[in-house]
Amino acid sequence: MPSPRRLRVVDRAADTGQPEASDTDAGGWEITVDERGHGRLEPSASDANPAPAGVKGDHVVLVGRVDEAGAGHTVEIVVDGWRFELSVEEAARAELLARATRNRDSVARSGPLEIRAIIPGRIAVIAVVPGDRVVTGDSLLVLEAMKMQNELRAPRDGTVGRLLVAPGHTVELGDVLLTLE
Amino acid sequence: MTTVAAGTRSGPTSLRKDERTPPFRRVLVANRGEIALRIVRACHDVGTEAVAVYSDADAGAAHVRAADDAVRIGPAPAAESYLRPQAIIDAALGSGCEAVHPGYGFLAERAEFARLVEDAGLRWVGPSADTIAAVGDKLAARRLATTARVPVVPGMVEPARIRPDALDDLVAVGREIGFPLLVKASAGGGGRGMRRVADPDELVRALSAGAAEAEAAFGDATVYLEREVRPARHVEVQLLGDASGSVVALGERDCSLQRRHQKLIEEAPAPGLDPEQRRELHEMAVRIGRAAGLVNAATAEFLLDPSGRFWFLEVNTRLQVEHGVTELVADVDIVVEQLYIAGGAELSPSLVAAAGMATEPTRHAIEVRLSAEDPSAAFAPAPARVGRWRMPAGPGVRVDTAVEAGDRIPPDYDPLIAKIMTVGPDRAAAIARMKRALDEVEITGIQTTLPFHRFVFRDATFIDAELSTDWVAEHWDGPGERRARRETARRAATALIESQEDAGATRPVSLRKDSTGLTSASTWRATGRRVATERWPR
């Protein structure tokens, strides 16, 4: 029987552009996953934990990558073709971390590096996709400004996390362009 | 005793319908992705060898592995690889090819490239360089259509002269056409190089800005004014011609479901046309093809206004992305026909027969374009590495794709990754099959346009064929649709982490990943199997 515990779940690609966090009781649901990642999510049959209101029946989802991240995990869940990358961590610990770093944009774990625009301009070329491994100096993207092509390079080794822009986007000074993990 | 070889005419049953030797010994496929693979397959189907070209991003790609030979043409950026005319011609000559098939996009409609290919002694699989040049100029195409007695979208057929002494005249022409109207670039196409002008006071500025953009984008500042036909349906006709002057219409397609002039869903035939309308449409398209001296495959595009009238828009002198739905309805292979026509053959008897039946189609086909785009973020490209990849199959389902599980979708190219097509005896059957096919799709690792397509095929206005080019903007709320699934995703993620930790690990279990990016952990498998057998006993 899953014990109800407070977990913080962060949707890293929320439509608002900011990661969206919510604290939840972990109890009330069960999931069974086969080797191919087919998951069936059902309310737990338990009188002590009635199914949360508004979410009925069982759901078929796809479970993709599950990676350890700090003291928690990132989990990829696909529902009806919608892809979610969720960070799951104990809420208490996540709160402590968030307070310590005082960063509203924190993904509640030791941080990915945010690569920001140092001049305003237009994204001309993106050379990487999420998941690519890069080394210091690798070209990440090209920002066009004042008729000049400004190439952004990786400041350290890492893995490309999230792309927040696409070719053709206009960006302001300080906008986060991508994250490096 | 004489033996009769199978497949010869003198046998009791001819085993081959159109008896033909291979059109070429070797063809260079000047493209990548799904269309390159599609062309390689057509070559192999008729005994022709295919040579692939690839950039560094495509070294292990499916189209390369399917070909008989492959030539590297440069690093990932298109401008340094697939858009380099000389690299492609050198690849063709160096590998013993006799012809070049350009596919769609890239250099497919560049008349200069077609000319370079022809000058190098290679056959160009497509309309001639002269036809591409003549008809690629949209104003010239409008004049051509007019001489062929085909109604064009009301507007100018000569360039707008943006001179201080001509401005009043331009505004007068604009008023005659009627506002809102469109400023269009003559060298543009496919929705590029267009500006909407609602206010006569904005016209002059829009013309200047439009001309500057056209110069920058196409190297040609020519612009003109055209009426905005709205709401409208986008209906196009597949044409094929040969050197003897025969031109046929193989059927029409409706491509109204678009977003910012990018097609998302196409179908054949166009729903709701009566046989007379269809016949007239095909005849108009054929007249344009004849007037252009069309050899090989092209598509004539029209707008269908609410009163049921067709207005000519433009001609695309190439194979189109959505050609497959016409193939499914007419039961022909357009790429094979292209190869034979390029080799000097006339239109095959089976093609001519299919064209003869195109005004009374007995099947309906639909295509959805699956792209690596986020339909909750204005369809922004979302290239990444594919995890799991499962495409539908079964009766009436055709999938054209070159992507496989574990592939990295490069950021350098168009994000189209698969075309899922269904065919059935009527539109309802094709829709039912598409619903079923979309349910079979399983993709992890990348966000795709799948949720958009699933939405469309459950929407009453689409099912009732109430189409227009405004449909997507009016019906699709991407962020809302995604938000509605978030709770389920969160529950699944928390339940997953819970079950893993409850399975006895005191710290997070080290999770193995296989090559598809899937995770397997022995604790999960045990838990999953145990619970699975409890819930679904055999």
Side-chain angles (χ1 to χ4, degrees), chain A residues 5 11 38 40 76 83 132, chain B residues 408 442 445 498 501 536:
Chain A
R5 188 156 106 240
D11 175 3
H38 301 119
R40 188 177 289 267
E76 180 192 4
R83 185 173 173 268
D132 281 352
Chain B
R408 175 181 181 270
E442 294 180 358
E498 274 296 297
E501 289 178 1
W536 301 296

Side-chain angles (χ1 to χ4, degrees), chain A residues 2 5 9 11 20 22 24 30 32 35 38 40 42 65-68 76 80-81 83 86 126 130 132, chain B residues 383 408 411 442 445 447 482 485-486 489-490 494 498 501-502 509 513 517 519 525 529 531 535-536:
Chain A
R5 188 156 106 240
V9 182
D11 175 3
E20 189 140 325
S22 54
T24 178
E30 278 181 1
T32 49
E35 285 153 27
H38 301 119
R40 188 177 289 267
E42 286 162 303
R65 294 187 67 95
V66 179
D67 295 316
E68 288 171 37
E76 180 192 4
D80 283 348
R83 185 173 173 268
L86 303 166
I126 298 188
D132 281 352
Chain B
R408 175 181 181 270
E442 294 180 358
Q447 179 61 59
R482 186 180 184 276
R485 273 82 181 175
R486 180 150 61 210
R490 284 184 41 228
T494 53
E498 274 296 297
E501 289 178 1
D502 281 346
V509 174
K513 278 149 225 142
T519 309
R525 211 177 277 159
R529 242 185 238 141
V531 183
R535 286 180 191 282
W536 301 296

Side-chain angles (χ1 to χ4, degrees), chain B residues 29-65:
Chain B
V29 182
N31 216 295
R32 65 172 300 277
E34 69 86 18
I35 192 61
L37 181 57
R38 159 103 193 70
I39 297 167
V40 170
R41 285 172 167 159
C43 289
H44 288 166
D45 281 355
V46 293
T48 294
E49 289 188 344
V51 177
V53 293
Y54 64 94
S55 72
D56 289 338
D58 288 331
H63 79 275
V64 173
R65 285 182 278 118

Side-chain angles (χ1 to χ4, degrees), chain B residues 41 158 183 223 231 328 332 398 529 536:
Chain B
R41 285 172 167 159
E158 296 292 337
V183 171
V223 290
L328 288 169
V332 300
R398 166 177 161 181
R529 242 185 238 141
W536 301 296

Side-chain angles (χ1 to χ4, degrees), chain B residues 236-314:
Chain B
E236 58 188 36
V237 180
Q238 179 68 56
L239 293 168
L240 282 132
D242 66 26
S244 78
S246 299
V247 176
V248 298
L250 195 53
E252 81 285 355
R253 299 181 284 258
D254 188 314
C255 311
S256 299
L257 251 79
Q258 309 174 354
R259 193 195 155 267
R260 304 243 173 127
H261 305 284
Q262 296 296 301
K263 295 170 184 170
L264 297 163
I265 295 175
E266 306 103 336
E267 53 186 305
L273 299 187
D274 62 57
E276 194 42 54
Q277 261 180 312
R278 185 166 281 129
R279 204 164 311 142
E280 210 206 315
L281 173 68
H282 292 192
E283 277 167 15
M284 289 199 297
V286 167
R287 285 207 298 276
I288 292 173
R290 284 206 188 108
L294 175 69
V295 177
N296 217 291
T299 295
E301 296 189 339
F302 296 81
L303 291 179
L304 172 61
D305 75 19
S307 75
R309 294 189 62 184
F310 289 104
W311 304 97
F312 170 76
L313 251 189
E314 60 185 75

